[in-house]
Amino acid sequence: MNRAFEDGQLHIIKCINKFLEAHLKEGRDIAMLDVGISDGVVANRVCSALNTKRIALYGVDLSENPENNLIYEGSNVKSFEFVKSNIDPCTLPYESEKFDVVYSNQVIEHMIYKDHFIEECYRVLKRGGLCVLSTENIASIDNLMCLMVGQDPLVQHTSTKVV
């Protein structure tokens, strides 16, 4: 599971940097939302690895506020705002089309209402923005072992939306 987390983090960084190369406008901050920010350590790593020094970072999580020292020197974060909120199945506590980038690492697999989660990420994303969601592989060895003994996969939930 740790490898999935690290791989997801690297993928998020790669996707955001590629997006920034194509869309970064001179003199404008990038509004970025980390859904499931937890303690803020991963957000700091992501922001430090990005090719911009103009990030307005927002974080939402069920847990308490990340450490006040989230914005380390060199992290590229100009401002930071945290909101404590349970986003499953509620709405994200932001207005529509607020963010240039929305990302989430290893969160969607814990959601019961996955479709609603994706719809909410899309709602708060600006037109032409980037949303990157990373999750563990359902076919990972730990999940396969659970299935072989008749248990549900460790962290996977099934969506409730029927199309």
Side-chain angles (χ1 to χ4, degrees), residues 34 37-48 57-59 65-77 79-82 103:
D34 182 330
I37 194 167
S38 186
D39 61 5
V41 172
V42 172
N44 188 62
R45 285 187 200 139
V46 168
C47 291
S48 295
L57 177 64
Y58 296 78
N65 190 354
E67 295 293 322
N68 290 335
N69 62 353
L70 169 75
I71 305 172
Y72 299 106
E73 188 173 325
S75 71
N76 301 335
V77 176
S79 63
F80 173 67
E81 180 182 306
F82 173 80
Y103 72 91

Side-chain angles (χ1 to χ4, degrees), residues 62-115:
L62 181 59
S63 64
E64 294 300 320
N65 190 354
E67 295 293 322
N68 290 335
N69 62 353
L70 169 75
I71 305 172
Y72 299 106
E73 188 173 325
S75 71
N76 301 335
V77 176
K78 289 181 74 175
S79 63
F80 173 67
E81 180 182 306
F82 173 80
V83 175
K84 181 177 178 177
S85 178
N86 181 2
I87 56 169
D88 190 25
C90 302
T91 59
L92 287 169
Y94 302 101
E95 66 267 13
S96 298
E97 298 187 30
K98 179 176 178 71
F99 300 103
D100 300 290
V101 175
V102 175
Y103 72 91
S104 183
N105 189 16
Q106 310 301 311
V107 173
I108 193 170
E109 68 269 20
H110 302 285
M111 299 287 175
I112 294 172
Y113 303 98
K114 289 175 179 34
D115 298 306

Side-chain angles (χ1 to χ4, degrees), residues 19 23 99-102 122 125-132:
F19 173 79
H23 295 90
F99 300 103
D100 300 290
V101 175
V102 175
Y122 181 75
L125 190 65
K126 290 179 182 176
R127 179 167 288 203
L130 173 71
C131 181
V132 184

Side-chain angles (χ1 to χ4, degrees), residues 131-151:
C131 181
V132 184
L133 306 177
S134 180
T135 187
E136 181 184 357
N137 182 352
I138 188 86
S140 66
I141 191 68
D142 52 341
N143 285 331
L144 289 175
M145 296 297 284
C146 287
L147 289 169
M148 288 179 6
V149 296
Q151 295 179 359

